[in-house]
Structure formats: structure tokens, C-alpha cells
Amino acid sequence: QDLKTIPQWYDFRERYQLDIVAFAIEALDMTVEAGQAISWQQEILFESICLPSSRTTVASGHGTGKSRSAGVVALWHLLCFPDSITMFTAPQIGQLRKIVWKEIAICYDRLKNGVWGWLADYVVILAELVYIKGYDKTWHVLAKTAPKHLPTNIAGQHGDNYLLWVDEASGVDDAVMEVVMGALTHHDNKAVLTSQPTRNAGFFYDTHHKLSHRSGGVWRALTFNGEQSPLVTESTLKELFEKYGSRDDAGYMIRVRGLFPDLTGEFLLSNSQADDMYIGNSLFADHDDFGYIITVDVGGGVGRDDSVIMIAKVWGEAHWNVRARRV
């Protein structure tokens, strides 16, 4: 029987279409009693994805439940939205498909044994496709990628109920990202970006800064710290701390705290040091008639190349007469 002809499915949609948290708890039995309770970080993620036309970007350390969340959201979107398409993409698509398909299968088994178990009869899980029976071409979950020199290989996904999930988004080339984001043309299309924040550049970085909701953009930027996750044990955190030696080590910031690295390896100043320079005034009030300029030419360490610093006291702003600039 066609799923669209079953009245109970419409009851299911009405109950869960705007509530992934309830879907996870009631339909998948992700509860404390079952030993599979969703974490507070997963709950925040689910609530963000449920918003109409949502754009959610997550900078995350290890152990915050991203993989299980992907499985829950994939099954929720497939079952709650007719003729929906959910596409996963990542730089390493084989590894992504292996992980996400495993999580979808786990969630499928939990659905099958729950109060809405009859719905499982309408879901087909293949090696590279998950779909609703009778609609394998138009109502499915798939994983697809493209090399950065052929970004259009990933084009072609459109629909009223389309959800895009980009994993390890920090490593996806901006040309590929432009193509996949360009497919979100319909009213309620959704996008989710998840990644460890490995670099201070690119589209993923921008969604946490100039494109984020805090800067007036559309992206709801979330940061998930592995230290705060109930899924990460104290012994694991201790092991990682010993490995990196400091909470402020770039590796620990990226892989545990979910923070963009404050790297200084190729720069004189780190990001936080540069930001601190904009706090307060550089000169006292009684010295506002002059200022200092410090110029730096950083040596590359090749041959006789040296770093040179020049400090200049500058006064005046005119070309001529009493207010002529003096250095």
C-alpha cells in the first residue's frame, strides 16, 4: 500500500514534522531508560534544524553525537516530508556513507521496535540509497560528492522538501560549497554544516563569523565543546589533554573544544591578539595630537633575509605649514 494513502502517516507527520526531539524520544525510544538518551547538544541541534528554511552550522569537537544526530535527522526528514530528498556530502564520501548509513540502520531498528514500528515496512535501506517504497527516484536519502576541480558534478538536487547536510565542511572547497548551496532555491529547503573547525578561512568559517546570526546573517552558528558532552568520558578528556599539553593548544581547541584555532605559526599575531588590539584606546587623551605607527617586514628565514621593525612617532595631518606631518 502507498504510504501517502495511509491516514496514520498524516497523524505521524503532524506530530513530528516540527519536532525532531519528540521524534527521537517517542519514535526511536532515545530515552534514559533505554540507555540512548539524546544529549543537550543534540537537542539544540535538532531544534535548530526544525526551524523553517533553517541554516545550521556546527563547529564541534569529538564526542558530541554528530553521527547519531545525522542518522536521526535523515530518518526524520525521510518519514515526515513527502517526496523529500536528503543529501549528505563530505570530502571523503566513502567514510561518510559508511558512518551515516550505520547510524540510519541503528535508528531504523529502533523505529521498527517502537510504537510507530509499522512505518519501518515502508523504508528500504540499500548500500548507497535509503528510500520510501515505490519512490526510489524521488523520495530518498543519498550521499554524493565532487572533486574541487569539477564542482558541478554534485549539482542537480532540487525540491520543495530538500535537506543538505555537509560533513567536515571546513575541508570542502568553496567552489563545491557554492554549487551545493546554490541548489537551496525552494522556500523550506534546509542546510546543516558540521565540522571540526580546522581552518580560519572558507565558507564554513564565514558561517560562524560574518554570515552568522550574531552578525545579522542567516546561519545559526553553534559550538559544541567535547568537554561539556555527556558522551565523552573524563578518561578520554584526560588522555587528550596529556596528548596536546594545554587546553589552548591548537589541536585541543579544534578537536575537543570545537574552537577555530588561534594559530601563530605563519603570523606575528594570533587572531585573539589582533582582536584585543581593538579593545580600548591606543593613546591617552592628552596625547591625542600624535600617534605611533609600527611597521613590520617579517623575514622568511631564507639566506640573509631578516625581520625589520620600524617605530615612528607621527604628528600633524597637513602637507604644508604649521600642521604639516612630521615623522
Side-chain angles (χ1 to χ4, degrees):
Q1 190 175 356
D2 192 321
L3 181 59
K4 294 180 180 179
T5 66
I6 300 177
Q8 291 89 338
W9 176 62
Y10 291 87
D11 296 336
F12 174 87
R13 286 176 53 199
E14 184 177 0
R15 183 168 184 81
Y16 299 120
Q17 205 171 56
L18 298 177
D19 198 341
I20 305 176
V21 173
F23 170 77
I25 293 173
E26 298 174 5
L28 304 184
D29 194 26
M30 294 182 68
T31 61
V32 174
E33 294 77 13
Q36 292 285 337
I38 61 175
S39 71
W40 65 270
Q41 291 167 324
Q42 290 173 311
E43 186 171 340
I44 290 173
L45 174 60
F46 293 159
E47 289 174 348
S48 178
I49 294 172
C50 276
L51 296 172
S53 305
S54 64
R55 299 289 187 270
T56 303
T57 180
V58 184
S60 174
H62 282 308
T64 59
K66 296 194 308 297
S67 298
R68 177 57 52 87
S69 297
V72 172
V73 170
L75 199 57
W76 163 79
H77 197 249
L78 180 73
L79 291 171
C80 286
F81 294 87
D83 302 305
S84 64
I85 297 174
T86 303
M87 188 178 81
F88 289 91
T89 189
Q92 302 296 327
I93 200 66
Q95 182 68 8
L96 170 70
R97 185 183 289 117
K98 179 180 178 180
I99 293 172
V100 173
W101 259 238
K102 174 188 173 183
E103 294 298 339
I104 292 175
I106 291 172
C107 292
Y108 171 83
D109 287 339
R110 300 187 72 84
L111 173 72
K112 187 166 56 176
N113 296 319
V115 293
W116 295 95
W118 60 270
L119 275 170
D121 295 336
Y122 292 89
V123 179
V124 179
I125 302 178
L126 302 180
E128 298 186 0
L129 193 72
V130 180
Y131 66 91
I132 296 295
K133 281 184 179 177
Y135 295 93
D136 58 308
K137 302 296 184 184
T138 59
W139 192 351
H140 52 244
V141 181
L142 75 161
K144 193 175 181 182
T145 192
K148 62 182 180 181
H149 61 281
L150 291 171
T152 54
N153 282 11
I154 205 169
Q157 302 300 324
H158 293 277
D160 290 333
N161 298 315
Y162 176 46
L163 186 149
L164 169 70
W165 187 301
V166 184
D167 191 43
E168 298 303 333
S170 186
V172 175
D173 188 84
D174 281 0
V176 174
M177 196 70 80
E178 184 176 354
V179 171
V180 295
M181 292 304 301
L184 303 175
T185 55
H186 294 233
H187 172 65
D188 196 24
N189 289 173
K190 303 175 186 291
V192 184
L193 311 182
T194 59
S195 186
Q196 291 181 5
T198 56
R199 63 190 182 107
N200 293 338
F203 185 77
F204 179 72
Y205 177 82
D206 289 342
T207 62
H208 284 265
H209 295 86
K210 67 180 182 181
L211 301 179
S212 77
H213 63 291
R214 289 184 292 270
S215 300
V218 299
W219 287 92
R220 189 174 177 86
L222 307 174
T223 299
F224 290 165
N225 186 344
E227 294 174 331
Q228 300 170 345
S229 172
L231 308 176
V232 180
T233 64
E234 288 189 18
S235 60
T236 299
L237 290 175
K238 182 179 179 181
E239 181 181 347
L240 290 168
F241 181 83
E242 291 174 348
K243 175 181 178 180
Y244 293 108
S246 168
R247 292 182 72 250
D248 295 323
D249 178 86
Y252 191 94
M253 290 174 67
I254 294 168
R255 294 173 178 82
V256 181
R257 299 173 64 192
L259 298 176
F260 287 90
D262 206 17
L263 299 176
T264 58
E266 55 183 306
F267 306 105
L268 275 181
L269 298 177
S270 66
N271 279 350
S272 62
Q273 289 171 325
D275 288 340
D276 287 344
M277 294 172 64
Y278 290 91
I279 300 173
N281 297 315
S282 60
L283 298 171
F284 293 107
D286 55 349
H287 292 160
D288 59 2
D289 213 25
F290 70 88
Y292 290 100
I293 294 178
I294 302 175
T295 57
V296 182
D297 178 16
V298 182
V302 180
R304 301 190 310 179
D305 191 16
D306 292 323
S307 295
V308 178
I309 299 175
M310 184 183 75
I311 302 175
K313 182 177 179 179
V314 182
W315 183 93
E317 72 287 329
H319 290 290
W320 313 101
N321 301 321
V322 295
R323 297 294 299 181
R325 174 159 297 180
R326 294 168 174 81
V327 179

